[in-house]
Amino acid sequence: VTALEPQGPGWAFAYFAAQGQRLGPAEVDALADITTAVAANSALLRSAVHPDDAPTAVYSAGEQAPALASKENLT
Amino acid sequence: VTDLLPGRTGSAVADDPTLLDAVATARRIEDGTLDPVALVEGYLDRIARFDPGVTAFVEVHADEALAHAADAAADIAAGVPGGPLRGIPIAVKDLYDVAGKATRSGSLSTSDAPATTDSEAVARLRAAGAIILGKTTTHEFAFGVNTPATRNPWDLDRIPGGSSGGSGAAIAADLAAASLGTDTGGSIRIPAALTGQVGLKATYGRVSKRGVTPCSWSLDHAGPITKTVADAALLMGVLAGHDPGDPSSVDRPPEDFAADLGRGVAGLRLGVSEHWFGDSLDEDVAAAFEDAVRQLERLGAIIVPVRFAHVELSGAICNVIAGAEAASYHSARASEAPELFTEDVLLAIRAGSLYSGATVVDAHRARDHVRAGARAVFSDVDAVISPTIPMIAPAYGSRSVMLGGEDTPILDGINRMTVPANVIGSPALALPMGISPEGLPISLQVMGRPFDERLVIAIGHAYEQSTGWHDARPALDWA
C-alpha cells in the first residue's frame, strides 16, 4: 500500500477538497463504498504482480496497440 | 422455439424490407428490387411507431437520410457503381462525430456545438454508400451497462444493456439495418446479447476511434451491432483499416472478413473454460450454452477444456485502467460542473481519480499476466466459446444482479465474461444462442486470437446458420 492510496472516506474527502473538487451529498455518502472498492482492486492487483514483472505492453518500443499481443507471438 | 416467435425470414416478412438483414438489403438495392428511398421511409415509419417505447434514438436525421437515399437511387438508375453499403440505413451511437450534428455522448456536460467533420468510422460508412439514419443513446460517456434512457424491445421493463444500448435496441426493433457501438468492457457485445443481436468487437486497433468520444483510450474499441454474423463481416470490411490520425490504429492490409463464412467449424479446436466463464451462470444460460457446445460438436468442432489463467484479474484491471483514464479525460469537466454528470458516472470518475500511480502501473503489469494466460490458451485452441452474459436482461433500474448466488454490482456481473477480450485486445463476437423461458435472448461469445476475426466470424456464422436463433425478433406488441 502506497502513501497515496485512499485510507478511507475521510481521507478521500480531504483529497478531493485539497484539489478543489466539490462533492455533492450523494458523493459524500458513497465515499466509503468507493474507497473500499478502490482499496480492494489495488490490493488484488498488487498481490497479482511479481517484483520482476515489467509492464511490457505499455513500454515496448514501436508498439502501436498497447492492448495487443500479436498473433505471431501467440502461435 | 423460433417458430413461436416473429422472425426476420419467411413469407410473412417478405414484403417488409426493414426486417431484412444488411446483406440481403444490399443485394436487393443493387439488383433494383428495393428502392433506397422506400427503405428509409420504412425505417422512419418504424421509428415513429416503436421508438417512443424504446427510446433508442437521441435524434433522427430524416431529411438528410431521405436526400441521401434519393441520391443513391439516382446513381443506381444511372448505372453509377456503388460501395458495398449503398443505400443501407445505419444508426450511430452518439459517441461518434457526425458532421453537422452535436456529439452529446449521453451527457448534459457536453457542448451542443455540431461536429465539423465525420469520425473516421462514419466517414468510411458514408464512402461505402451507407446512409446515416440518426444517433442512438449511450450510457453517459459509455461508462456503464444500463443505458437508462432506453428500454429493451423484448420487454420494456428490462434494460437493453450498454453502453451502446440504443444501438442494440434499434437493431432489435428493426429501426435500422445496422448500427455502430463502442466497447470498453463489453459495450458492443452486452447490448447485442441482451437484445438478441450480433455484436463484433474486433482486435484492438482494427477500427479507428478518431472522432469518437473516449471512455478509456487503451481499452476502447469501435465496431458494429448487426442482425446477422454475415452483416458484421460486411460492416467490418468497411470499418477496418489503418488511420494515421488514431494513435492506436494498427497498420494492416485490407481484409475480406466474409471470406471464410462458408468454412464451417469442422476440425476446429474450441476451448471451453469452466473457470470464470462457466462457474456463475444462471441455470437457463448454462443450459443454452450446453446445447450450443453440443451443436458445435455436431458441426465437427473439437471441444477442449481450457483454463484461462489470471482471467479473474480482468475486472479489476479494467476498473483501474478505465477509471484512471476516464478520470484523466473528465477531470476538468468533473471539477467545474459535477452537477451535470449522472451520479453513477460521476462516482466512477471519482473512484478512478483515487487510484495511485503505482496501482495503475500494477494494472498494466497484471494485464500482461492475463495476456500470457490467453497466449497459453490460444496455443492449444483456435477460439474460446462461452456465454456472453451470465444472466438474461436485468430488470430496468437494477443496480445489482445475482451472480453465482451473490448480490453483485451490475457492471461487474454483466461484463464478467466480456471484459477479458478488452484486457487482451482480442476479437470477440456475440451472437444469439437461445431464448429464455421469460422470452428474453441468451447470447454466445466467440473469442479468438488477435487479428483472427475471420475465424471468429466463421465459427459464429456456422453456429448461427445451423440454429436460426438470429431470426427471432421481439413481438413489439406493446406498441
Side-chain angles (χ1 to χ4, degrees), chain B residues 10 37 81 225 305 360 380 387:
Chain B
V37 175
I225 296 176
V360 175
D380 186 37

Coordinates of all heavy atoms in Angstrom, one line a residue, chain B residues 10 37 81 225 305 360 380 387:
Chain B
G10 N -39.0 -15.7 -44.1 CA -40.2 -16.3 -44.4 C -41.2 -15.4 -45.1 O -41.0 -14.2 -45.2
V37 N -35.1 4.9 -51.2 CA -36.0 5.9 -50.6 C -37.1 5.2 -49.8 O -37.4 5.6 -48.7 CB -36.5 6.9 -51.6 CG1 -37.6 7.8 -51.0 CG2 -35.4 7.7 -52.3
P81 N -21.5 2.9 -60.4 CA -21.1 1.9 -59.5 C -21.2 2.4 -58.0 O -20.9 3.6 -57.8 CB -19.7 1.6 -59.9 CG -19.5 2.1 -61.2 CD -20.4 3.3 -61.4
I225 N -23.0 -3.4 -34.5 CA -24.1 -4.3 -34.0 C -25.0 -4.5 -35.2 O -25.4 -3.6 -35.9 CB -24.9 -3.7 -32.8 CG1 -23.9 -3.5 -31.6 CG2 -26.1 -4.5 -32.4 CD1 -24.6 -2.8 -30.4
P305 N -11.5 -28.6 -23.0 CA -11.5 -27.9 -21.8 C -10.2 -27.1 -21.6 O -9.1 -27.6 -21.9 CB -11.6 -29.0 -20.7 CG -12.0 -30.2 -21.4 CD -11.5 -30.1 -22.8
V360 N -2.1 2.0 -11.0 CA -2.3 2.0 -12.4 C -1.2 1.1 -13.1 O -1.5 0.4 -14.0 CB -2.4 3.4 -13.0 CG1 -2.5 3.4 -14.5 CG2 -3.5 4.1 -12.3
D380 N -3.3 -23.7 -27.8 CA -3.9 -25.0 -27.8 C -5.2 -25.1 -28.5 O -5.6 -26.2 -29.0 CB -4.1 -25.5 -26.3 CG -4.6 -26.9 -26.3 OD1 -4.2 -27.8 -27.1 OD2 -5.4 -27.2 -25.4
P387 N -20.8 -18.3 -22.8 CA -21.9 -17.3 -22.9 C -21.4 -15.9 -22.9 O -20.3 -15.7 -22.4 CB -22.7 -17.6 -21.6 CG -22.4 -19.0 -21.2 CD -20.9 -19.1 -21.6

